[in-house]
Amino acid sequence: MPRLPLLLSIPHGGAMLPREYAPRFALTAAELFHESDPWTREIFAMGEAVQGRIEAEVAKAVVDLNCETTLVPPKVDSGAIKRFTAFGRPIWTEDGFPTSEEMDRLLDRYHRPYHDVLHRTSNRGGVRLAIDCHSIYAYGPPGAPDAEQARPLFVLGNLGDEKGEGARATAPAGLLHLLGELLEKEFQDIEPLPGTVKVAVNAPVVSNYTLRRHGKGRTPWLQLSMNRCVYLKNPADVTQVPDSDREGISQLRRRLFSVMCDLSDRLEDFLQ
């Protein structure tokens, strides 16, 4: 079977702490788990079946690869380098926050190389669509525009409006709607959380640095964010690390791969 013409980017699935910074890291194992996009590396593990798959090993709490490198403390508290988690917990010990020189080194070591590889890979001839893969909290965390509100099962993004249209769009609106239809069909057995929908487009707005940086090149880009309620039994409990459900993750990967196959079969209808 030929590889699907897709590039998958998984920037938030890592949990690695650089050894020299570990003594200054303040998060518990559970806080680190939930501050990442847990198990997305395993869920989107389609490396041999797609043209490209790039994943981060470094924890999002250490370096957020989906934020602009200029957005770091003291300019902002939650950017490419963060002081606090989405739930307001300090990431670093009281005197352990990286200096400006250390922040530069972290960005040079992890952020810039990741996007250099994304740029090169997305311009390969066999790549026709790039997808930035994420998970999202089941409910908006404190401080978010949708704090405590239920979120859709899937959120698709292309920097356009809620129809996927607009001058800033990084992928055709019709392509987003096709992907939404395929997800709704494949996951028709899973009910959305009360008060929300199965698939939404560009709402709620989530981090989109990758789309802004790479989405105006030769390859269209879109963001696929999956609600953690799809694969975590109790997604609202952020105080524990849940047991790994290998069979459930494997089944979810197979279902998403089926969606990717159907999407790839019709890509050229939208990319002429």
Side-chain angles (χ1 to χ4, degrees):
M1 177 181 176
R3 293 189 177 192
L4 302 182
L6 306 176
L7 166 62
L8 304 183
S9 166
I10 311 167
H12 289 164
M16 185 270 290
L17 304 178
R19 182 179 302 175
E20 65 270 33
Y21 294 95
R24 297 150 59 181
F25 199 73
L27 298 186
T28 66
E31 289 167 337
L32 175 61
F33 176 87
H34 291 285
E35 184 65 12
S36 71
D37 283 7
W39 298 338
T40 49
R41 295 170 71 186
E42 294 80 5
I43 290 168
F44 290 98
M46 306 174 192
E48 294 303 314
V50 296
Q51 285 289 334
R53 175 178 175 272
I54 302 169
E55 62 180 37
E57 293 187 0
V58 69
K60 171 189 172 186
V62 177
V63 181
D64 189 337
L65 303 178
N66 203 30
C67 286
E68 169 63 54
T69 56
T70 61
L71 297 180
V72 297
K75 186 175 182 179
V76 296
D77 280 339
S78 184
I81 307 286
K82 305 179 189 297
R83 289 190 182 276
F84 304 101
T85 69
F87 288 85
R89 285 280 295 125
I91 293 173
W92 305 90
T93 58
E94 186 174 350
D95 58 352
F97 189 81
T99 66
S100 59
E101 293 79 10
E102 288 173 327
M103 286 192 287
D104 285 341
R105 287 199 292 270
L106 284 169
L107 295 172
D108 283 339
R109 188 190 305 179
Y110 299 109
H111 194 290
R112 295 182 177 98
Y114 187 88
H115 287 279
D116 287 345
V117 174
L118 275 190
H119 175 73
R120 291 195 302 270
T121 309
S122 65
N123 283 293
R124 287 179 184 168
V127 175
R128 298 290 284 149
L129 175 67
I131 303 176
D132 203 36
C133 305
H134 296 265
S135 71
I136 54 174
Y137 290 108
Y139 297 85
D146 61 342
E148 300 185 5
Q149 296 180 24
R151 288 176 162 178
L153 294 187
F154 297 93
V155 178
L156 308 179
N158 70 345
L159 302 188
D161 58 22
E162 292 187 8
K163 295 182 179 180
E165 300 173 349
R168 298 175 65 237
T170 58
L175 192 58
L176 259 70
H177 294 302
L178 170 61
L179 178 54
E181 292 168 6
L182 294 172
L183 289 167
E184 288 192 348
K185 180 180 178 181
E186 178 62 38
F187 293 92
Q188 57 186 305
D189 58 311
I190 302 179
E191 289 297 319
L193 295 172
T196 185
V197 296
K198 191 160 289 188
V199 180
V201 173
N202 291 316
V205 176
V206 292
S207 298
N208 51 37
Y209 168 75
T210 297
L211 269 62
R212 285 186 283 110
R213 173 163 176 174
H214 301 284
K216 291 302 182 181
R218 62 173 293 275
T219 300
W221 275 83
L222 61 84
Q223 189 174 56
L224 167 59
S225 299
M226 177 173 49
N227 195 310
R228 297 176 193 183
C229 72
V230 175
Y231 63 93
L232 292 182
K233 293 180 179 179
N234 188 7
D237 181 6
V238 296
T239 65
Q240 303 292 328
V241 177
D243 293 333
S244 177
D245 180 4
R246 293 187 179 182
E247 178 55 36
I249 290 173
S250 179
Q251 182 182 28
L252 178 55
R253 182 170 58 248
R254 290 193 295 268
R255 298 180 74 173
L256 285 171
F257 181 66
S258 176
V259 169
M260 297 298 177
C261 288
D262 291 341
L263 178 68
S264 296
D265 285 343
R266 296 182 57 186
L267 268 182
E268 297 307 318
D269 294 344
F270 300 91
L271 302 180
Q272 296 291 345

